[in-house]
Amino acid sequence: MATTEGPPRDAIDIVDVMAALGNRRRLEIVAALADGQERTCGVLRGQTPKSTMTHHWRTLRDAGVIWQRPHGREHMLRLRREDLEARFPGLLDAVL
């Protein structure tokens, strides 16, 4: 599966993760992905402007919170739960 790269598991930094999760909209995105299913950007965007959501997705991806992969004209998003749990056990459960 080709993905738009974020940091490798060992390079995910707690400060970056917490900064990414410190925004209400980004936390809503993570909560929507918490069931482990991939979602399209369009489904998660709702009525929020695409440019605003692009910023949120980039922040989450660069922090190592989500994977993003191209799928036709859309991008699919998936929570990096396994990687985050390996690096920071219990963090996602605590913030969600």
Side-chain angles (χ1 to χ4, degrees):
M1 166 178 30
T3 61
T4 303
E5 293 299 317
R9 177 186 283 184
D10 293 346
I12 298 173
D13 185 278
I14 188 69
V15 173
D16 296 335
V17 171
M18 295 306 291
L21 295 176
N23 175 278
R24 182 175 309 277
R25 185 64 180 113
R26 289 193 291 264
L27 195 55
E28 290 170 355
I29 294 167
V30 171
L33 296 171
D35 65 359
Q37 299 298 310
E38 281 188 316
R39 303 280 192 286
T40 64
C41 291
V43 166
L44 293 172
R45 185 165 66 94
Q47 300 301 313
T48 306
K50 186 175 181 180
S51 60
T52 299
M53 292 305 292
T54 297
H55 166 74
H56 290 312
W57 295 321
R58 183 180 316 115
T59 300
L60 289 167
R61 184 189 67 233
D62 291 349
V65 177
I66 64 170
W67 288 118
Q68 184 178 3
R69 70 175 179 89
H71 182 73
R73 296 184 62 188
E74 284 275 3
H75 281 89
M76 301 297 290
L77 304 174
R78 181 173 47 91
L79 186 62
R80 292 180 66 175
R81 182 179 284 280
E82 299 83 18
D83 291 339
L84 291 169
E85 188 62 27
R87 292 284 290 150
F88 316 110
L91 175 67
L92 280 178
D93 290 337
V95 299
L96 293 174

